[in-house]
Amino acid sequence: MNLSIFSSAVEGIAWRGWLYTAFILHFVFACQFLLLQPLVSALDGQADAAELLDRASHSIKVKRYNEALDDLNAAIEADPKLSEAYLHRASSLRQLCRYQESELSYRKFLELKPGNKAAEKELSQLLQARSALESAISLLDSGEYTKALEYVEKIVLVFSPACSMAKLLKVKLLLATKDYSSAIAESGYILKEDENNLEALLLRGRAYYYLADHDVAMRHYQKGLRLDPEHADLKKAYFGLKNLLKKTKSAEDNLNKGKLRLAVEDYKGAIALDPDHHAHNVHLHLGLCKVSVKLGRGKEALTSCTEALDIDGDLTEALVQRGEAKLLTEDWEGAVDDLKSAAQKSPQDMAVREALMRAEKALKMSKRKDWYKILGISKTASIAEIKRAYKKLALQWHPDKNVDNRDEAENKFREIAAAYEVLSDEEKRTRYDRGEDIDEMGMGGGGGGGFNPFGGGGQQFTFTFDGGFPGGFGGHQGGGFPGGFEFHF
């Protein structure tokens, strides 16, 4: 019995010892979990943050700033005291011209690392870039494109070379300064980074448009509209170009069909669609000039051809057409000058040479007496009309009837007589109309050996009128002349 009691006591002690040991072990494990786990987690977090920072640094080196920002934000969340992550984030945000966020990150870094010269310098650059970008946008709105371009190129894109806003602004400014080739190149760089950038597609299309490369411009607009069919500016550009091409074709078709007045309206309408589209409008102005010349509208033709030459001063055809327009407006010397310039540019073009010869002939004819004008008759006047005009003017300007202004009357009378001598003679009139020189026949108009009814040395000139004068003139044979008669000087 005693042995049994003893054995039970030993078993009880062993059982309690086992329970005590188990309790001690659980206590130790609990302490380890409660006290060591935060330390382990912190160490793991620091390891994760460092890994994220390394990955972000690699992304920054290859200029993948948005990827870098994702890792840097995660690193800062894992370790809010990781100062280097704030500096990298600030720099990446500055590259993308997200200036407000960048400034906050720089200031957070400087809280952790006060007095850091490199960070202070970069923050100063950020502030300069932000100010320059704001100034450039303002200058664009006010039309000061060259100055705005300097701000973008020399400040903004130096401190923020990955700034899409600044790159697109640069393309807009290049378009505004009409540097279309550079605009195409710069927008091309943007599209290499993001081929679906709608604004870059629009701006590049406009650059090709203003170079009159309409097919390429149309392809840019169409690609943008496939990505966003409701993009307002792309729709406007696309349909504007379609309308311009349609109007231009209509004008050319009407010109070829001889529907000249309709062609005039179409050309004017096409020009009005975009007056600044010089590369295309130069051909519209030239077409309008051609039509106006065909219609005999000299002044309108002159204006249109001058517009074309203001755009392209080397456009030979515009020089030729303007020469024709000047012939219509009787600017003989101007016509010769334009056609000479055209002939020098196209010395083998026989049509230009023929036009020049016509202009030179017209200039030569313009410098001789206009006998039709002197008699006050048209170039199609009949012989009877010529005689009536001559009789009327001869009576009006006979020196004996103009004693107070005899010198003027003699000059007038001399011109009237010379005009009548040429125009009343069919052969002489024909030669005169052809522009031939007939000065040797007495058409000099008052100089040298020219015709002179008042010449000295007893020269006699005979006037013959079928109806006679109504009365005599003092100083000569008196009385009326009822029929044909002669009087002498």
Side-chain angles (χ1 to χ4, degrees):
M1 181 177 181
N2 290 336
L3 181 61
S4 175
I5 293 170
F6 176 76
S7 177
S8 296
V10 170
E11 289 177 359
I13 292 171
W15 184 78
R16 285 194 296 271
W18 182 83
L19 289 175
Y20 180 74
T21 300
F23 173 77
I24 292 298
L25 289 172
H26 278 85
F27 178 77
V28 170
F29 288 141
C31 288
Q32 181 181 12
F33 180 79
L34 293 173
L35 298 177
L36 296 180
Q37 185 62 35
L39 179 60
V40 172
S41 297
L43 291 173
D44 289 343
Q46 288 177 351
D48 290 343
E51 183 180 344
L52 289 166
L53 183 60
D54 287 341
R55 194 162 69 188
S57 298
H58 175 72
S59 296
I60 290 171
K61 286 179 181 178
V62 294
K63 299 181 180 180
R64 296 177 180 171
Y65 298 109
N66 287 312
E67 293 179 17
L69 286 171
D70 290 339
D71 287 333
L72 290 168
N73 289 333
I76 289 170
E77 186 176 352
D79 184 3
K81 300 295 184 181
L82 189 59
S83 60
E84 193 173 353
Y86 286 103
L87 183 61
H88 284 315
R89 184 170 74 175
S91 177
S92 297
L93 289 167
R94 174 173 59 83
Q95 294 288 334
L96 298 170
C97 63
R98 292 164 60 177
Y99 293 129
Q100 186 173 358
E101 299 169 80
S102 177
E103 182 180 0
L104 292 174
S105 291
Y106 274 122
R107 297 200 184 282
K108 182 64 178 178
F109 172 81
L110 289 170
E111 286 179 12
L112 298 171
K113 297 287 185 179
N116 185 285
K117 299 299 183 183
E120 289 176 349
K121 181 179 179 180
E122 289 185 21
L123 177 58
S124 175
Q125 292 172 344
L126 177 151
L127 298 175
Q128 291 180 57
R130 179 167 63 189
S131 176
L133 181 58
E134 292 170 354
S135 297
I137 293 171
S138 178
L139 290 167
L140 171 63
D141 293 337
S142 64
E144 298 181 66
Y145 307 127
T146 303
K147 190 172 182 180
L149 194 57
E150 289 181 2
Y151 276 112
V152 172
E153 291 181 325
K154 296 181 179 180
I155 302 177
V156 181
L157 290 175
V158 171
F159 297 142
S160 305
C163 178
S164 294
M165 181 191 301
K167 291 177 181 178
L168 289 169
L169 178 58
K170 180 179 180 180
V171 177
K172 290 179 183 177
L173 290 165
L174 289 169
L175 284 174
T177 56
K178 297 181 173 55
D179 188 353
Y180 303 122
S181 296
S182 295
I184 288 171
E186 293 295 330
S187 55
Y189 298 144
I190 298 172
L191 289 169
K192 282 183 180 179
E193 297 173 359
D194 178 9
E195 64 178 359
N196 295 329
N197 189 308
L198 294 178
E199 191 167 3
L201 285 169
L202 172 64
L203 294 174
R204 200 162 196 251
R206 283 180 178 166
Y208 278 112
Y209 166 81
Y210 281 115
L211 288 174
D213 195 342
H214 294 145
D215 289 340
V216 179
M218 188 70 79
R219 289 201 292 271
H220 280 74
Y221 299 152
Q222 288 170 335
K223 180 177 180 179
L225 288 171
R226 283 195 295 269
L227 296 168
D228 182 3
E230 298 305 317
H231 193 287
D233 288 336
L234 281 167
K235 286 174 69 176
K236 182 179 179 181
Y238 173 76
F239 288 110
L241 176 52
K242 283 195 70 174
N243 194 22
L244 176 65
L245 296 177
K246 181 180 178 181
K247 204 74 172 174
T248 300
K249 187 176 185 305
S250 177
E252 292 170 348
D253 288 346
N254 282 323
L255 173 59
N256 293 332
K257 293 175 183 177
K259 299 178 180 179
L260 302 183
R261 287 175 176 78
L262 289 176
V264 167
E265 295 308 313
D266 284 335
Y267 276 121
K268 288 181 177 179
I271 293 168
L273 289 173
D274 189 353
D276 295 325
H277 191 359
H278 299 309
H280 183 66
N281 288 353
V282 64
H283 304 294
L284 297 178
H285 287 300
L286 177 58
L288 182 56
C289 178
K290 287 181 180 179
V291 179
S292 299
V293 167
K294 288 179 181 291
L295 289 169
R297 300 175 181 177
K299 290 183 179 180
E300 290 183 24
L302 186 59
T303 299
S304 297
C305 270
T306 300
E307 291 278 3
L309 288 165
D310 286 343
I311 297 171
D312 183 359
D314 294 325
L315 196 59
T316 303
E317 193 171 4
L319 281 170
V320 173
Q321 292 298 320
R322 190 170 72 173
E324 298 286 1
K326 288 180 177 179
L327 287 175
L328 290 173
T329 59
E330 299 186 358
D331 179 5
W332 318 116
E333 292 183 355
V336 169
D337 289 342
D338 279 347
L339 290 166
K340 274 185 178 178
S341 297
Q344 289 171 356
K345 294 176 184 298
S346 299
Q348 305 304 319
D349 193 325
M350 294 306 298
V352 175
R353 296 183 66 82
E354 288 173 5
L356 175 58
M357 291 173 64
R358 283 191 290 108
E360 289 175 334
K361 180 178 178 181
L363 174 60
K364 185 176 181 181
M365 291 176 67
S366 73
K367 293 181 177 179
R368 61 182 191 167
K369 296 289 186 179
D370 186 341
W371 304 130
Y372 292 101
K373 187 175 181 180
I374 289 170
L375 293 182
I377 56 177
S378 72
K379 289 182 171 60
T380 59
S382 66
I383 292 295
E385 290 173 323
I386 292 171
K387 288 182 177 180
R388 281 197 299 270
Y390 168 54
K391 178 178 178 180
K392 177 182 176 182
L393 292 171
L395 290 172
Q396 177 184 346
W397 288 102
H398 192 281
D400 287 348
K401 294 189 68 175
N402 294 273
V403 293
D404 293 334
N405 58 335
R406 188 176 183 86
D407 290 341
E408 180 186 0
E410 286 183 358
N411 289 330
K412 289 281 188 181
F413 196 71
R414 186 181 294 115
E415 285 187 336
I416 294 163
Y420 181 72
E421 182 180 1
V422 173
L423 300 182
S424 63
D425 184 302
E426 185 175 350
E427 181 185 353
K428 291 179 181 179
R429 181 181 181 182
T430 300
R431 293 178 60 191
Y432 173 78
D433 288 343
R434 286 201 301 259
E436 295 182 17
D437 285 328
I438 49 177
D439 285 349
E440 68 276 7
M441 297 182 179
M443 300 304 106
F451 172 78
N452 183 358
F454 302 104
Q459 181 181 357
Q460 189 176 76
F461 183 76
T462 302
F463 295 86
T464 303
F465 293 98
D466 292 337
F469 282 112
F473 297 103
H476 301 282
Q477 295 177 356
F481 298 91
F485 67 90
E486 295 180 350
F487 65 94
H488 309 286
F489 295 94

